[in-house]
Amino acid sequence: METVKRYFRSPAAVVGLFLLLVVVAMAISAGWLYPNDPLSLAGRPLIWPFSNPRFLLGTDNSGRDIAAQIFYGARISLLIGGVATLIAVVIGVLIGAFAGYYGGWVDTLLMRITEAFQTLPNFVLLLVLVAVFGSTLTTVTIAVGIVSWPAPARLTRAEFMSLRNREFVQAGRTLGMKDIQLILGEILPNALPPVIVYASVVMAVSILLESALAFLRLSDPNVASWGNLIGLGRDVLRVQWYVSAIPGIAILLTVLAVSLVGQGLNDALNPRLKSR
Amino acid sequence: MSDTILTVEDLSVKLPKGADRSHALGGVSLSIAADEIVCVVGESGSGKSVMANAVMRLLPPEVAIAGGRVLFEGKDLASAGNAEMRKVRGAGIAMIFQEPMTALNPLRTIGDQIGEMFEIHTELSKKDIKARVLALLQDVRIPEPAQAARAYPHELSGGQRQRAMIAMALALDPRLLIADEPTTALDVTTQAQILKLIRELQKRRKTAVLFITHDFGVVAEIADRVVVMQHGQVVEQGPVQDMLHAPQHPYTQQLIAAVPPLTAPPPRTLNADHILTLENVSKTYRNGGFLGRGARVTHAVKSVSLNLPRGATLGIVGESGSGKSTLARCIVRLIDPDGGAIVLEGKDWAKLSRDEVRRETKHIQMVFQDPFASLNPRRKAGDLVAQGPIVHGVPRAQAWAEAQELFRLVGLDPSAMDRLPHEFSGGQRQRIGLARALALKPDVLVADEAVSALDVSVQAQVLKMLHELRERLGLSIVFITHDLRVAAQICDLVAVMKDGEVVEHGLAGEVFGNPQHAYTQALLASIPGGDFTRSKKPVTV
């Protein structure tokens, strides 16, 4: 309750939450506002925004409704952002927890693997994964998740290393708890807040990664995603710049919303850090 | 008093909204004259540190002076500007803090940091500054001053760091020195040296000292006058002898009564049967080095052999680094000893596998030092206590019912079981920790500095409770502490540890009354206010 109150005390966090709710509302209402397939032909190609009341945000180079694609694109961005973040955080927390708790050779092994992933640029690894496994929505989401786990893993490991020798963990051990009970029941709940905050960064980056992939026309072409729309608009960028700019703004606002919410969570969960 | 240096008049300090009280200080008045040591005594939360920080105007941003005056050399510091305050700090009023490690900058040498005082406040040349720094370090009697000036804080011991802090504080010959619990983090022998040093320097330089402490032993050792604070108010002040021997205010009387006396209560008859036997227990740490070459080897515990009779309390006393905590952790197998036997009820505990330890752990339980760190902040108090039995297969409802009983046993209201640890006070948390350890119905309880983090009055209550529980439940206790006064109160047997070895052990009355080993004698002689605490009658807790 205290945390919720602290969260709403920050105007930036409230704005972020509002923006995020708008994006969620767009995703939910897409099917109801635009019952037709957003990728089907709707009208004349390249109508400028606000010039035709039927196509409020105009049409793209193949005559598809941009507004419909933006609404449906919100679904894809949230889906990829959410699921990829979940994958990254679950892998990261598991690896970080074991490395941090056990230390020694377990830590060395797991951290070398993590470093192997970290030394490769995220995006290059993502390209390789998509090139090998194909670019359907599922593979893209999983691939984004797989390239994003090292940072949460390192964060979790650091938290576990500082928590594992606390007296309350030792107390649990003297009570006769098993390692898994100590990891999941005692340490993890205390290690989670910074990881949750960091998850917002992972989510923002996931959305950007998918867009970048789509911009290179390597994402799933059969879904209406913001990145795909930007990729399409590339061909007419110099004259009909709005085709790329509108989804670009949508991405900007979503990433901003997620980051503001993350910052707000950080301040709400770690109140002492903020007052300085 | 002649030549008053500092006068605090009706000072009040406001706390931010939502704090446990509206004012940290409510109308505090006191004065300090030159060449005088005034001790401000009080328990945690009494506002004594806030008072010191208010004088220096070093309060946190949300905390503000609400009224009153702080007169120093005719100026009112409560309303002085920041530039004016900067001139006063260091040159007029200097301060030393509790923890010298965090008060010193770890990235700069000691000499540099002391020299900075001269750089900021004077026009001295580099060479002069260097000479002055060296003279100061000699003054505070740091061994090898030239070398210490070049050392970084981590290269000095705690006592040497505190000496360096004192050198820094006295660099500009301030008229007033504020010392905020300067010896609390130090070992008892080091504390005695530092107290002597402060007293000596103060006499020579005629400095006024505002000395903040929670320990009446320290007061007896150093004070000229005493100010007792409670809940942000001065309840009593007066000359030290009057305060110690004829306190007027009930709170002062209560505080002085709670000071543990150094004389042990009459010995009880001990059981001939030993419940726990340690034989040659050793633990060695190795770190660094490659394939065993150049490694640093620390013998934390060297071949310790001790017996604990059934139903008795064995005190293990020693200074930091003596290995007493490592020994305690070996006994409960949080640390695996390298060698030796730990025989509990006929079973060699040191040789059990991890799984066996987990199953047998209900026979031996531990109470930890820090009441804030030893409870998982995200679990309810009731859960914390019920946890142990649940792990060992007791059904949840039954464990919860037992936890209720335990809450009553340790003097807590069972209706508080739904609350989280941060809603309890330090003493209450320590009771929860004790209830958690007792939930498994252990035969042996290992208490590692279990009362060290508590205020004296709370300490006395917890000790009394331990005493009662020992009788009622037939517990045998291993009691680890650095405080000999506490050990004298509760222990039947005492073992004194130094550098991993037991240098002397025997009945508490004999060890304290007639110490044989030179180290035990030194420890006993270092206890602050020794005569005062020895003069007190042993209380039968």
Side-chain angles (χ1 to χ4, degrees), chain B residues 126-364:
Chain B
K126 279 228 156 31
K127 215 176 116 207
D128 288 344
I129 289 178
K130 220 174 157 189
R132 294 282 284 271
V133 168
L134 217 57
L136 274 169
L137 287 173
Q138 260 156 8
D139 244 13
V140 295
R141 269 183 265 114
I142 280 190
E144 319 234 7
Q147 218 173 320
R150 280 194 306 271
Y152 288 92
H154 71 268
E155 295 172 312
L156 300 182
S157 71
Q160 289 172 344
R161 280 197 288 267
Q162 201 57 288
R163 281 170 197 268
M165 278 298 296
I166 294 171
M168 197 188 300
L170 296 178
L172 299 167
D173 253 325
R175 314 245 2 236
L176 174 67
L177 176 68
I178 299 179
D180 189 357
E181 304 256 10
T183 58
T184 308
L186 303 175
D187 279 325
V188 58
T189 46
T190 322
Q191 164 170 299
Q193 293 163 8
I194 295 287
L195 288 177
K196 204 168 138 231
L197 177 73
I198 292 178
R199 180 97 236 186
E200 220 180 80
L201 291 169
Q202 176 268 337
K203 277 272 162 282
R204 208 163 68 213
R205 296 172 178 237
K206 309 256 180 271
T207 317
V209 177
L210 180 66
F211 196 104
I212 293 164
T213 181
H214 66 278
D215 188 339
F216 261 101
V218 172
V219 172
E221 194 78 10
I222 200 168
D224 294 317
R225 278 197 307 126
V226 183
V227 176
V228 181
M229 286 186 70
Q230 184 192 22
H231 305 317
Q233 257 139 9
V234 172
V235 297
E236 189 173 3
Q237 50 181 315
V240 64
Q241 288 312 320
D242 298 0
M243 295 293 277
L244 288 180
H245 299 293
Q248 299 301 314
H249 194 276
Y251 180 67
T252 319
Q253 290 168 349
Q254 186 196 327
L255 276 183
I256 288 183
V259 175
L262 192 56
T263 23
R268 306 184 303 156
T269 43
L270 295 178
N271 217 316
D273 168 27
H274 293 158
I275 187 162
L276 180 72
T277 309
L278 309 184
E279 277 167 33
N280 301 320
V281 175
S282 306
K283 177 72 193 173
T284 307
Y285 288 109
R286 291 180 179 78
N287 46 10
F290 178 67
L291 297 178
R293 266 176 298 175
R296 227 189 10 211
V297 177
T298 317
H299 298 281
V301 176
K302 279 187 246 175
S303 183
V304 168
S305 301
L306 289 168
N307 291 318
L308 173 64
R310 193 180 296 278
T313 302
L314 168 66
I316 299 177
V317 297
E319 298 187 295
S320 51
S322 63
K324 58 190 192 307
S325 274
T326 308
L327 180 63
R329 282 169 166 67
C330 283
I331 295 175
V332 295
R333 280 291 298 272
L334 276 173
I335 294 173
D336 294 330
D338 296 333
I342 300 169
V343 183
L344 176 74
E345 297 270 33
K347 231 183 258 169
D348 188 354
W349 188 249
K351 304 253 175 347
L352 296 185
S353 74
R354 287 239 152 253
D355 275 332
E356 285 167 317
V357 167
R358 218 164 17 235
R359 257 175 276 126
E360 298 288 322
T361 186
K362 54 179 176 287
H363 296 301
I364 186 161

Side-chain angles (χ1 to χ4, degrees), chain A residues 166-179 181 185-187 189-190 193 275-276, chain B residues 329 332 334 358 361 365-366 368-370 373-379 387-388 391-392 436 440:
Chain A
R166 295 282 171 89
E167 286 192 341
F168 73 82
V169 180
Q170 296 192 340
R173 195 169 295 153
T174 56
L175 288 178
M177 288 188 194
K178 297 196 180 78
D179 285 349
Q181 287 170 317
E186 301 295 308
I187 307 182
N190 289 292
S275 62
R276 294 294 136 126
Chain B
R329 282 169 166 67
V332 295
L334 276 173
R358 218 164 17 235
T361 186
Q365 280 292 305
M366 183 149 176
F368 293 84
Q369 169 173 12
D370 187 346
S374 63
L375 302 178
N376 186 342
R378 288 175 196 272
R379 278 190 193 278
Q387 228 174 1
V391 166
H392 288 272
R436 171 176 60 189
L440 290 176

